[in-house]
Amino acid sequence: MTPTLLNMGYACINLTLQARQITTNRGMIKKTFVQKGLAYASELALKNVQDLLAIVDWNIEHGFRLFRISSDLFPWASEYRIADLPDFTEIRATLEEIGRRPIRLTTHPGPFNQLAGQGSVLANTLKDLEYQSEMFDLMGLKPSHWNKINIHVGGTYGDKTATLARFAQNFSLLSANLRARLTVENDDRTSLYTVADLVPIYEAIGIPVVFDYFHHSLNPGYQTEEEAFLTAYATWDVRPVFHYSDSRQDREDSHARREAHADWLYSPVHTYGKEVDIVFESKMKELAVLRLRGEDPDLPPAIQKLMQQQNDELSTF
DNA sequence: TTGTGTCAAGCCCAC
DNA sequence: GTGGGCTTGACACAA
């Protein structure tokens, strides 16, 4: 039986459209936020959301039915409520439009989110995660793991077991919609969490485990890839979203950090007879997936230039 | 327009 | 002890 890969997606940036200044990552430094305030945050957020719609439509047109939304859609989101933005009416209308599109959307909030943290660290985490969930609410998306809000457990605070227990405890502080969307992912460092380490969280609070192939290869614990894949697969109540990328060190640059992702995709993805959706985390984004699908993408001029430079460097040896 | 130093958050790790 | 990296470079400002 041929393994089935249903949806293929990529993360946060579309290089083809970025070359035309279509991006969802507009932000500002603190100083500017202090000076310009909510009005400017609103202006950037509206542009980001409008461009997200353009990217989503590009995706659908090109056969991508899975996309990870950037965590930076709303600059300084922890400092205000989305509904308080001056352009809220237009922002909401655009989000609703996005929510009606036939595509699976997910998010992956940053490493500053420490649900097992305490005090202000925990308070900031709650704010950040709730805003991501509110964004999906505004899109009109039913709360479920179909639109996952995926995080890492974070630090171990010197005691994995106690930290996992605190994670599960703090989970109860989240809104019902956020609880229905949250997932956890295995880490790439041996000091952090393997798929098997995360199973107790699933058992305690029922949240699915996202299997990251590359992280597993760097931090397998005692499980083979197939075992870890199937362990994670069994925690899902909808079709899982897993993450895949190749190693830059193995494929492109022997001096690269071992955790670095490759620009392109090289290896076949094993799905062990299961149906899963895959977010490809290659630096070349949609271009890498198009190439994997056997299509020759129209490379934006900036990318062509970059590749030419790389070829020139290689040819000097 | 382009080059460059700098940038919210928490944790871990290489140096 | 400091800085880089993380799911993603982009901003701000000087030249």
Side-chain angles (χ1 to χ4, degrees):
Chain A
M1 177 179 141
T2 309
T4 314
L5 248 181
L6 285 166
N7 292 317
M8 295 172 144
Y10 59 97
C12 307
I13 292 171
N14 178 297
L15 293 172
T16 307
L17 295 178
Q18 190 182 50
R20 291 162 39 195
Q21 271 57 254
I22 294 172
T23 169
T24 64
N25 297 299
R26 296 174 187 85
M28 60 186 142
I29 63 171
K30 187 173 187 175
K31 184 179 163 189
T32 307
F33 182 56
V34 170
Q35 282 171 357
K36 299 190 174 178
L38 215 54
Y40 190 52
S42 183
E43 189 184 323
L44 294 181
L46 178 58
K47 283 183 183 161
N48 283 341
V49 166
Q50 287 169 335
D51 281 359
L52 176 60
L53 178 58
I55 292 172
V56 162
D57 282 342
W58 186 98
N59 283 336
I60 292 166
E61 200 177 315
H62 291 83
F64 289 91
R65 296 301 176 110
L66 171 65
F67 182 68
R68 179 191 299 165
I69 301 173
S70 159
S71 305
D72 294 333
L73 211 58
F74 291 85
W76 294 93
S78 56
E79 304 303 309
Y80 54 82
R81 298 296 307 270
I82 296 177
D84 293 333
L85 294 173
D87 300 293
F88 177 63
T89 306
E90 214 176 336
I91 288 170
R92 181 176 53 189
T94 311
L95 289 174
E96 285 170 356
E97 194 66 33
I98 292 166
R100 283 194 285 270
R101 294 294 194 269
I103 187 169
R104 185 175 190 178
L105 299 171
T106 69
T107 69
H108 195 353
F112 308 109
N113 288 286
Q114 301 284 333
L115 190 53
Q118 291 167 309
S120 63
V121 173
L122 177 59
N124 291 338
T125 300
L126 298 179
K127 264 197 244 173
D128 196 28
L129 296 180
E130 289 293 352
Y131 125 72
Q132 312 262 353
S133 185
E134 191 186 350
M135 185 178 71
F136 280 150
D137 289 341
L138 288 167
M139 287 181 186
L141 299 172
K142 205 178 68 190
S144 87
H145 300 118
W146 185 258
N147 300 108
K148 75 179 164 63
I149 297 175
N150 177 52
I151 58 174
H152 292 264
V153 170
T156 60
Y157 301 90
D159 185 342
K160 266 191 200 177
T161 310
T163 301
L164 289 172
R166 210 162 51 244
F167 185 101
Q169 201 177 1
N170 291 343
F171 181 74
S172 66
L173 302 173
L174 308 177
S175 69
N177 286 4
L178 175 52
R179 290 201 304 273
R181 292 176 171 130
L182 202 71
T183 60
V184 281
E185 177 180 342
N186 60 311
D187 289 292
D188 56 4
R189 279 174 284 174
T190 53
S191 59
L192 300 179
Y193 304 89
T194 62
V195 168
D197 284 336
L198 297 174
V199 168
I201 295 196
Y202 163 70
E203 288 169 346
I205 55 180
I207 75 175
V209 176
V210 171
F211 178 62
D212 185 305
Y213 288 83
F214 183 41
H215 291 173
H216 171 83
S217 74
L218 298 171
N219 178 28
Y222 60 81
Q223 289 191 304
T224 64
E225 180 181 288
E226 181 171 8
E227 287 165 351
F229 175 100
L230 293 172
T231 300
Y233 183 87
T235 63
W236 282 78
D237 55 351
V238 296
R239 191 196 309 147
V241 179
F242 289 168
H243 300 170
Y244 187 91
S245 59
D246 276 304
S247 159
R248 183 174 191 79
Q249 192 181 74
D250 290 351
R251 300 290 185 171
E252 294 168 351
D253 175 5
S254 60
H255 299 296
R257 295 167 40 258
R258 65 184 216 112
E259 297 89 353
H261 297 226
D263 288 344
W264 302 96
L265 296 163
Y266 300 92
S267 310
V269 180
H270 298 294
T271 55
Y272 304 103
K274 303 295 187 189
E275 294 187 345
V276 294
D277 292 347
I278 303 279
V279 173
F280 289 96
E281 297 177 331
S282 309
K283 297 285 182 194
M284 286 297 165
K285 304 296 177 184
E286 85 284 3
L287 303 175
V289 183
L290 286 172
R291 208 178 249 196
L292 184 72
R293 295 197 321 210
E295 298 169 39
D296 205 13
D298 289 330
L299 301 180
I303 303 292
Q304 286 181 28
K305 195 175 157 192
L306 192 72
M307 292 183 69
Q308 188 57 50
Q309 282 170 356
Q310 285 175 347
N311 288 339
D312 292 347
E313 282 168 26
L314 289 172
S315 64
T316 59
F317 288 101

